[in-house]
């Protein structure tokens, strides 16, 4: 895509004839944005059609590119497919979503129903419905609104006073006006309106430190008098991340059919909030973390071995110091190269610990550590860390459907295994049916002949048993009907 900016400097002009009034820069910018918005509203179906648009239900086929989350560390990234259903009722603040597909060694069929007090997290594959603890219509529906021009135009209609004209820009040889939109939540959006068709063709959003997200809206056609794009593409820092093609669009039909929890989903307890905490799994073995990310700390004779590289690591180290005051962290073990499992490298490097990873992951790990003095040690099939009596054995269980190389940690004397991303277990309630990654993990435990009685993980505070692995393997995926 070729973009060139021709930012026009808006100059304040003094109105003559002795008038003291001048159009200030902000006023000119808001006025110009208003003109662009009026023309765009007209092109997208007109003020009346957009005002009357209250419910919208869309089904789309998604292609996802697993940037930083593929089986190998670098590009080209793995491609997976899913189907997405979204339905929104703007007046009653109801939002329903369901996502079905597979990728990364996972199979999923899950959704969310946001309807005030009657809000649920639905897992059709596990056959469960859990109350949504803090339902928030604006936050939950934001991603759908941001990929649906008609809904964005409604936002512009309602929030026009907050919109600014930023200038003109050429995109793919066509001139656009660029205006801003500030939604209820999230950073401002830069909207590109084609100067000839007055359609929204492109949008940008900056999410520091993550980077820039670009949205492309393509192939418009009219549905019940409103312009809808058939194709959508999303880029993250220039890399293609999502593409979808819409299969169906329904306007102003009642959503009641989607607003109840299907009968065959078992209502289970809400996922409780999980603040930072320390669990002593065995003497000198601590699982420390919160909010879905955890690391394991093993106290050795004169040092500490830390396992897991998620974002919790800095906070978990601080917490660990309350139970192991003075021993240095000698090793920081990273389970795999995924973008959410390497941020801990920086904290380990800062502690002066040796980071243990795979040779293949060197580049992404050095980038994550962002420390020229970071010490790396590479593991191939297995590695034993010991102080002469206590042992931590690392095994590469890869290749798995989740990653080419994947470390688990095994404490043979305590019968404890630490894993990441292969045994997804909710904080409480029923263990879901095994996904392909779980099957590969269970097979590795048998192949390595590991005698264990506890599994702890990078994404759950729950301590699982061998029985839990068996129940995951023996459970069939539920086939839910009703709802969507
Ligand atoms: Zn992963």
């Amino acid at each position: 895509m070729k973009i060139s900016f021709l930012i026009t400097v808006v100059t304040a002009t003094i109105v003559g004839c002795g008038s003291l009034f001048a159009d200030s820069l902000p006023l000119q910018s808001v006025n110009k944005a208003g003109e662009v918005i009026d023309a765009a509203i007209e092109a997208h179906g007109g003020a009346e059609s957009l005002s009357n648009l209250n419910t919208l239900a869309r089904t789309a086929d998604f292609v996802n590119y697993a940037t930083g989350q593929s089986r190998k560390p670098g590009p080209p990234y793995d491609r997976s497919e899913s189907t997405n259903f979204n339905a929104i009722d703007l007046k009653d603040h109801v939002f329903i979503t369901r996502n079905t597909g597979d990728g990364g060694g996972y199979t999923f069929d899950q959704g969310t129903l946001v309807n005030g007090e009657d809000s649920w997290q639905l897992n059709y594959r596990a056959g469960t419905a859990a109350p949504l603890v803090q339902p928030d219509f604006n936050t939950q529906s934001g991603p759908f609104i941001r990929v649906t021009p008609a809904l964005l135009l409604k936002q512009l209609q309602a929030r026009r006073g907050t919109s600014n004209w930023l200038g003109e820009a050429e995109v793919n040889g066509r001139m656009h006006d660029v205006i801003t939109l500030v939604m209820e939540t999230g950073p401002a959006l830069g909207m590109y309106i084609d100067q000839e068709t007055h359609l929204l063709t492109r949008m940008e959003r900056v999410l520091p430190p993550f980077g820039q997200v670009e949205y492309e809206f393509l192939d418009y056609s009219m549905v019940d008098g409103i312009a809808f794009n058939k194709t959508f593409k999303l880029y993250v820092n220039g890399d293609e991340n999502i593409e979808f093609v819409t299969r169906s669009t329904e306007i102003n039909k009642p959503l009641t059919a989607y607003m109840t929890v299907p009968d065959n989903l078992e209502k289970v307890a809400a996922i409780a909030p999980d603040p930072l905490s320390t669990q002593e799994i065995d003497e000198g073995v601590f699982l420390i973390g919160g909010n879905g990310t955890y690391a394991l700390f093993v106290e050795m004779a004169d040092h500490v071995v830390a396992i897991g590289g998620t974002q919790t690591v800095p906070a978990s180290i601080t917490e660990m110091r309350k139970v192991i005051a003075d021993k240095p962290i000698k090793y920081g073990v990273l389970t795999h190269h995924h973008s959410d499992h390497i941020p801990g490298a920086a904290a380990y490097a800062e502690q002066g610990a040796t980071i243990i990873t795979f040779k293949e992951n060197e580049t992404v790990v050095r980038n994550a550590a962002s420390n020229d003095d970071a010490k790396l040690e590479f593991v191939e099939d297995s590695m034993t860390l010991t102080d002469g009596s206590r042992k931590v054995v690392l095994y590469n269980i890869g290749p798995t459907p989740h990653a080419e190389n994947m470390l688990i940690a095994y404490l043979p004397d305590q019968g404890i295994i630490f894993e990441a991303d292969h045994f997804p277990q909710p904080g409480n309630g029923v263990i879901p049916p095994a996904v392909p990654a779980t099957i590969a993990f269970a097979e590795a435990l048998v192949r390595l002949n590991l005698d264990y009685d506890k599994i702890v993980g990078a994404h759950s505070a729950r301590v699982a048993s061998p029985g839990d692995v068996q129940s995951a393997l023996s459970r069939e995926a539920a086939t839910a009907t009703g709802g969507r």
Side-chain angles (χ1 to χ4, degrees):
M1 152 158 336
K2 186 174 160 282
I3 302 173
S4 59
F5 283 88
L6 306 168
I7 301 294
T8 310
V9 177
V10 187
T11 46
T13 43
I14 306 289
V15 180
C17 303
S19 164
L20 293 173
F21 291 109
D23 282 358
S24 68
L25 207 58
L27 184 59
Q28 286 190 37
S29 164
V30 169
N31 287 343
K32 176 74 179 166
E35 287 169 26
V36 173
I37 292 169
D38 285 337
I41 286 172
E42 213 46 53
H44 280 262
E48 201 185 332
S49 299
L50 287 172
S51 294
N52 291 339
L53 173 62
N54 182 47
T55 75
L56 176 65
R58 297 191 97 186
T59 306
D61 291 324
F62 269 64
V63 174
N64 307 280
Y65 295 90
T67 311
Q69 293 285 334
S70 294
R71 293 183 71 246
K72 291 194 169 104
Y77 295 115
D78 298 343
R79 181 181 184 278
S80 65
E81 288 172 20
S82 61
T83 300
N84 198 266
F85 171 79
N86 287 295
I88 194 166
D89 182 325
L90 295 159
K91 234 179 254 144
D92 292 339
H93 282 199
V94 173
F95 179 66
I96 302 131
T97 184
R98 180 168 177 177
N99 203 5
T100 311
D102 49 46
Y106 282 69
T107 304
F108 51 85
D109 184 356
Q110 58 204 26
T112 307
L113 164 57
V114 178
N115 182 18
E117 296 288 286
D118 191 21
S119 294
W120 298 85
Q121 243 176 333
L122 309 170
N123 190 331
Y124 296 90
R125 188 169 184 274
T128 56
L132 203 57
V133 181
Q134 282 172 321
D136 177 46
F137 174 77
N138 288 322
T139 304
Q140 304 274 353
S141 65
F144 178 52
I145 291 174
R146 283 191 291 273
V147 300
T148 312
L151 299 179
L152 287 166
L153 265 291
K154 276 185 75 86
Q155 293 266 327
L156 278 176
Q157 206 176 16
R159 312 172 77 89
R160 58 186 306 142
T162 65
S163 188
N164 280 293
W165 180 74
L166 295 181
E168 295 178 313
E170 190 184 323
V171 181
N172 294 336
R174 298 182 66 86
M175 287 308 295
H176 287 72
D177 285 302
V178 187
I179 57 172
T180 57
L181 167 64
V182 180
M183 286 173 55
E184 190 74 33
T185 57
L189 303 167
M191 321 262 284
Y192 288 63
I193 310 289
D194 188 300
Q195 286 185 348
E196 255 173 64
T197 65
H198 304 292
L199 292 169
L200 173 68
T201 66
R202 178 185 168 81
M203 192 167 82
E204 289 166 0
R205 180 174 189 234
V206 180
L207 297 169
F210 187 58
Q212 173 157 297
V213 185
E214 298 157 44
Y215 304 70
E216 270 191 300
F217 306 101
L218 307 160
D219 315 328
Y220 274 98
S221 61
M222 300 303 275
V223 180
D224 293 352
I226 297 175
F228 282 93
N229 62 310
K230 188 172 171 61
T231 311
F232 166 83
K233 287 184 182 180
L234 185 143
Y235 299 81
V236 176
N237 295 321
D239 289 329
E240 189 166 3
N241 193 255
I242 296 173
E243 176 178 352
F244 73 66
V245 178
T246 303
R247 253 201 276 145
S248 68
T249 302
E250 285 189 348
I251 293 169
N252 292 337
K253 301 257 168 70
L255 302 184
T256 32
Y258 313 126
M259 282 167 56
T260 46
V261 174
D263 286 344
N264 54 347
L265 295 189
E266 185 191 342
K267 289 186 178 172
V268 296
I271 310 289
D274 175 32
L276 187 68
S277 68
T278 298
Q279 278 189 78
E280 187 161 14
I281 308 298
D282 201 311
E283 201 191 330
V285 182
F286 303 94
L287 185 72
I288 306 177
N291 294 315
T293 52
Y294 310 84
L296 190 73
F297 296 87
V298 183
E299 183 172 11
M300 309 296 265
D302 61 356
H303 63 271
V304 174
V305 175
I307 305 150
T310 55
Q311 60 183 22
T312 190
V313 170
S316 296
I317 290 175
T318 305
E319 199 67 13
M320 182 268 289
R321 286 299 170 213
K322 296 177 187 169
V323 284
I324 311 171
D326 48 6
K327 296 179 183 176
I329 298 175
K330 189 172 177 187
Y331 298 107
V333 179
L334 304 182
T335 54
H336 63 305
H337 64 271
H338 284 170
S339 52
D340 59 329
H341 288 267
I342 51 176
Y348 292 143
E350 203 177 296
Q351 295 276 324
T354 297
I355 298 167
I356 298 182
T357 182
F358 298 99
K359 176 77 187 146
E360 292 87 334
N361 304 348
E362 181 171 3
T363 307
V364 290
V365 170
R366 285 207 185 277
N367 287 342
S370 61
N371 183 325
D372 292 340
D373 301 326
K375 292 174 284 186
L376 268 58
E377 201 170 315
F378 303 120
V379 54
E380 280 180 33
D381 296 331
S382 73
M383 180 185 279
T384 301
L385 306 173
T386 180
D387 59 4
S389 59
R390 180 164 265 195
K391 261 196 268 179
V392 177
V393 190
L394 308 175
Y395 289 107
N396 182 4
I397 63 162
T400 78
H402 189 73
E404 288 278 289
N405 293 293
M406 171 60 66
L407 279 185
I408 61 166
Y410 176 51
L411 279 63
D413 299 328
Q414 292 80 16
I416 297 169
I417 289 170
F418 179 89
E419 67 79 39
D421 293 352
H422 281 65
F423 191 59
Q425 38 170 344
N428 52 26
V430 288
I431 297 280
V435 294
T438 305
I439 295 168
F441 170 64
E443 284 171 356
L445 301 187
V446 173
R447 189 169 64 240
L448 296 166
N449 200 17
L450 303 187
D451 186 17
Y452 69 95
D453 51 30
K454 286 175 182 152
I455 296 177
V456 292
H459 290 301
S460 179
R462 183 168 172 171
V463 180
S465 67
D468 290 330
V469 177
Q470 287 316 311
S471 71
L473 294 175
S474 63
R475 278 199 65 194
E476 302 235 344
T479 44
T481 51
R484 271 292 312 182

